Amino acid sequence: MAMALGTYIPGFSRPPARFVTEDRKPVHGIVAEFDTPADVYHAAEKVRDAGFRRWDVYTPFPIHGIEEAMGFKRTALPLLVAAIGFSGAGLGLLFQYWVTKTDYPMVVQGKPFGSWESFVPIMFELGVLPSAFAALFGMLMLNGLPRFHHPLLSRPSFWRASDDRFYICIEAEDKQFHPDRVRKLLEDSGGKNIDLVEDDA
């Protein structure tokens, strides 16, 4: 939790960095630049096959199939939304049944106590509303958002990621990260302007 807060919100303390520069600044990772979508696609396949887990691709537009090249797995967000939605609808059903059957029996449209037909509107609302909030806040949480600081944005050359350049950044928090091996991998993958990125937050 402290690590997550420290990573995304300035001012929170973070665990000690695994790697630091000669100036004692923590290392965020190593970034490489690529000229074309095909170059970054094939480089992503090599990084994926090398077994790295904490890395990302930055492109000015979506690249078809990049999820497979990066080895993305199916997100748990649909399961989270379904669990919360069905839980809300189920609680709505149980509560209404308990009220109309036990706590305050009332005849509705001549139906028996506890008949489910009149429960549907409340069940629908208690299923849909929590699901919407779960989808929104779950997406933000899984994506690490909102993020008020990112070390890559302190590099002017990286700004071309929104224009005409493609980048791969392997983070220093990855268990397999070693500066020399990562630099060699990115060089062999066709990366240019390979640089160490300091975390100057």
Side-chain angles (χ1 to χ4, degrees):
M1 184 67 178
M3 183 175 178
L5 290 175
T7 300
Y8 299 113
I9 302 176
F12 281 86
S13 62
R14 291 183 291 178
R18 293 183 60 215
F19 296 92
V20 295
T21 64
E22 294 178 353
D23 298 332
R24 307 303 298 172
K25 290 185 177 179
V27 174
H28 172 72
I30 293 181
V31 64
E33 180 182 319
F34 298 86
D35 292 330
T36 67
D39 291 342
V40 78
Y41 183 94
H42 295 303
E45 291 179 321
K46 292 181 179 178
V47 174
R48 176 202 64 195
D49 294 341
F52 288 96
R53 304 292 299 271
R54 295 187 62 89
W55 60 287
D56 210 344
V57 175
Y58 303 89
T59 66
F61 49 81
I63 298 176
H64 181 71
I66 195 66
E67 306 86 24
E68 289 80 10
M70 296 179 68
F72 274 11
K73 296 180 180 175
R74 190 175 178 84
T75 175
L77 186 59
L79 297 176
L80 176 68
V81 172
I84 291 178
F86 284 119
S87 297
L91 287 174
L93 171 65
L94 293 176
F95 180 74
Q96 291 179 95
Y97 181 82
W98 173 73
V99 169
T100 58
K101 179 79 174 180
T102 306
D103 189 55
Y104 196 82
M106 179 183 296
V107 176
V108 179
Q109 297 177 341
K111 292 183 173 61
F113 296 128
S115 58
W116 62 269
E117 290 85 355
S118 60
F119 303 162
V120 172
I122 301 300
M123 290 171 56
F124 176 79
E125 292 298 331
L126 290 179
V128 169
L129 190 61
S131 297
F133 283 112
L136 174 63
F137 292 110
M139 179 276 295
L140 293 174
M141 181 188 69
L142 293 174
N143 284 307
L145 298 174
R147 186 164 190 168
F148 302 103
H149 164 73
H150 199 293
L152 285 172
L153 295 178
S154 62
R155 301 171 49 79
S157 61
F158 181 76
W159 299 349
R160 295 185 69 178
S162 63
D163 187 10
D164 60 353
R165 285 293 183 272
F166 307 84
Y167 296 88
I168 288 179
C169 181
I170 301 177
E171 298 180 12
E173 292 181 3
D174 192 293
K175 292 180 180 177
Q176 297 194 59
F177 184 90
H178 187 280
D180 295 335
R181 288 198 292 270
V182 168
R183 185 178 293 274
K184 179 74 166 48
L185 173 64
L186 293 174
E187 286 176 352
D188 294 343
S189 302
K192 302 175 181 176
N193 301 324
I194 301 171
D195 283 326
L196 196 73
V197 181
E198 297 176 351
D199 191 349
D200 53 359

